[in-house]
Amino acid sequence: METKSIQKSENSRRNFLKASTLAGTAMVLPFDVLGVNLGREKIEIGLIADIHQDVMHDGEERLQAFLDAAKKRDPDFIMQMGDFCVPHDHNKGFMARWSNYRGDKYHILGNHDMDHGFSKEQTMAFWNMPKKYYSFDKKGVHFIVLDGNDQNPEPWDGYKRYIGDVQKNWLIDDLAKTKKPTIVFSHQTLELEETGGVANFKEIQNIFEKANKEAGFKKVLCCLSGHHHTDFMTQINGIYYVQINSASYYWVGGDYKTVRFSEAVDKTHPWIKYTVPYKDSLFTFMTIKNNKIILEPRKTEFVGPGPDELGMPERHSHEPIVPTISAFKMKI
């Protein structure tokens, strides 16, 4: 997750609120899917985002909690949504846990997964990830995984958060080829740029909305992302956008750094003090059935002082700091 400024532009906030409908702990926004019966067969998907194995001292345990839950439930597939682990040799044990899961499993590249000078290709080889972006079908639903880490066009600088022309053309073609209802996954959000989302998010939204118009029904149903370490859902022009909270923490930066664990942990994992960690691993299971998409809730608590105790300013509605994944409900 990109280190964020605590203060946001009020004008940017107003513009965003005009373009979207904010979600609470549950939202039902009906719209018609003409000629499509979504979820004739139940589809269940396990989702975990932003473990940050290279920040957290207990990343392996957080991953294992998710994998144990998935093993009991046996979903159709599981997906990690980026900022998973850098391809260091000392992360082989972490990857072995993921690899030992016997069900179908998929990756999304996060912006921090190429830290320490590693390339996408090195990270993908370490993960056994065949493609940077791709799609697949499951029980009558089309799933698209995007890579939000393309090279920023000049004169932009900073970390990569862009979807380039080659990938955009692939996306347009992929959507044109399918007649199935579609769900999109990415690491960085596709609904808002100001907090580190995909910089050309409006271009991607336009691709989705044009595909829906040309199909004559709401082909693109929802887009799910990680990266932002927050719990939020909105709807823009008939498409849901959902941010899945981090399995591990929210980044608060140097102004609010606090040692949360032992001195020994702080010595070996010094970045944790710049976060508000979550006590237990956060993850969710998404169910698609009977024209509904439901995200199951999961709640834990902060380790040590939370944002209120730290004296952090009030957050915008689209960026809460909470140790929670809410019970979001999408009726379609």
Side-chain angles (χ1 to χ4, degrees), residues 117-301:
F118 288 102
S119 68
K120 284 186 185 181
E121 290 72 22
Q122 288 173 308
T123 298
M124 291 167 63
F126 193 73
W127 292 0
N128 193 28
M129 180 183 184
K131 296 181 180 179
K132 302 171 189 176
Y133 50 88
Y134 54 94
S135 64
F136 59 95
D137 295 338
K138 185 75 69 174
K139 293 182 178 178
V141 177
H142 189 62
F143 296 95
I144 294 175
V145 173
L146 296 177
D147 173 18
N149 306 286
D150 283 345
Q151 180 63 52
N152 299 334
E154 294 182 354
W156 296 0
D157 55 12
Y159 87 96
K160 297 174 183 177
R161 52 187 183 92
Y162 193 76
I163 293 178
D165 289 342
V166 173
Q167 188 175 178
K168 281 188 296 182
N169 290 335
W170 172 88
L171 175 62
I172 293 167
D173 185 60
D174 187 80
L175 283 169
K177 288 178 179 177
T178 187
K179 295 182 180 180
K180 295 177 172 62
T182 299
I183 293 173
V184 179
F185 296 100
S186 61
H187 179 62
Q188 299 93 336
T189 185
L190 297 171
E191 85 270 6
L192 184 65
E193 189 269 342
E194 71 172 48
T195 56
V198 169
N200 57 332
F201 73 102
K202 285 302 296 182
E203 292 181 352
I204 308 306
Q205 287 183 10
N206 290 338
I207 289 171
F208 296 153
E209 292 163 19
K210 184 178 179 181
N212 285 357
K213 183 177 180 179
E214 291 177 349
F217 66 94
K218 298 292 174 63
K219 179 186 286 186
V220 180
L221 304 176
C222 69
C223 303
L224 297 102
S225 63
H227 181 63
H228 302 271
H229 297 222
T230 193
D231 179 58
F232 176 72
M233 182 172 76
T234 191
Q235 185 206 39
I236 302 172
N237 296 329
I239 300 172
Y240 292 100
Y241 294 84
V242 184
Q243 295 184 18
I244 304 297
N245 205 343
S246 165
S248 300
Y249 67 80
Y250 189 93
W251 182 273
V252 294
D255 290 343
Y256 301 98
K257 66 180 180 180
T258 305
V259 175
R260 306 282 176 156
F261 299 100
S262 68
E263 291 183 6
V265 168
D266 182 59
K267 185 175 181 179
T268 59
H269 294 77
W271 294 110
I272 297 177
K273 70 169 72 72
Y274 298 92
T275 77
V276 179
Y278 308 147
K279 180 180 178 181
D280 302 306
S281 180
L282 285 181
F283 50 84
T284 187
F285 289 88
M286 182 170 76
T287 301
I288 305 169
K289 179 68 175 176
N290 297 330
N291 289 344
K292 293 179 182 178
I293 303 174
I294 298 172
L295 289 173
E296 294 183 7
R298 186 169 173 86
K299 186 175 183 179
T300 181
E301 59 190 45

Side-chain angles (χ1 to χ4, degrees), residues 68-84:
D68 289 345
K71 183 178 179 180
K72 290 180 181 179
R73 300 182 61 140
D74 191 25
D76 291 279
F77 64 89
I78 63 173
M79 180 172 289
Q80 69 82 10
M81 302 183 69
D83 285 357
F84 193 53

